[in-house]
Amino acid sequence: MNFFKSAGAVLLGLVVIFALSHVTDVVLEKSGLMLLPFDSNPLWLKLFVTFYRTFYVFVGGYVTAKVSHANPMRHTIVLASIGTVLGILGAIAMWSEPPHWYPIALIILGWPSAWLGGKLRVKN
């Protein structure tokens, strides 16, 4: 049963990250602020997207630590590691789409962001 609780905590963190990112993307696209393809957007918007996605990973780490039944930082590290692997796979799959710095930035910023979210929750 503990395995399912642990998996659920990590899965919830992933769902939070994906849901927040998707909803924000849709709002920006529908409002006309974000254009497709992504590279056709101005630099400030690309940086903004990088910021909010990194912040959402922080939130996902916090949520994972909050709902984990034990060892909240271990759960957060698992979330961060899964996110890193998914980020690398995403970068490989979308490498033909510029800008190349964007997925690399998400990979580099993701792990520490999730860790910080978990660490903030553990301190509270």
Side-chain angles (χ1 to χ4, degrees):
M1 188 64 166
N2 284 341
F3 170 79
F4 293 112
K5 287 181 181 179
S6 293
V10 173
L11 183 61
L12 180 61
L14 287 170
V15 168
V16 165
I17 295 164
F18 293 145
L20 290 173
S21 296
H22 180 71
V23 168
T24 306
D25 289 349
V26 168
V27 168
L28 288 174
E29 289 171 17
K30 296 288 184 194
S31 69
L33 287 173
M34 186 161 63
L35 307 171
L36 295 176
F38 184 64
D39 194 41
S40 60
N41 291 292
L43 179 61
W44 70 266
L45 185 70
K46 293 174 193 169
L47 292 172
F48 177 67
V49 172
T50 304
F51 170 77
Y52 75 70
R53 285 183 175 248
T54 301
F55 178 72
Y56 293 160
V57 172
F58 172 86
V59 172
Y62 185 94
V63 168
T64 296
K66 182 173 178 66
V67 301
S68 64
H69 63 286
N71 300 313
M73 285 309 296
R74 182 179 299 162
H75 289 84
T76 303
I77 289 169
V78 169
L79 171 75
S81 300
I82 290 170
T84 300
V85 170
L86 292 175
I88 291 169
L89 292 174
I92 291 168
M94 299 298 293
W95 193 252
S96 62
E97 300 290 327
H100 297 305
W101 62 263
Y102 171 71
I104 293 169
L106 293 180
I107 292 165
I108 291 169
L109 296 171
W111 204 98
S113 297
W115 184 86
L116 284 171
K119 199 66 168 170
L120 178 67
R121 174 57 189 141
V122 168
K123 286 188 176 188
N124 287 340

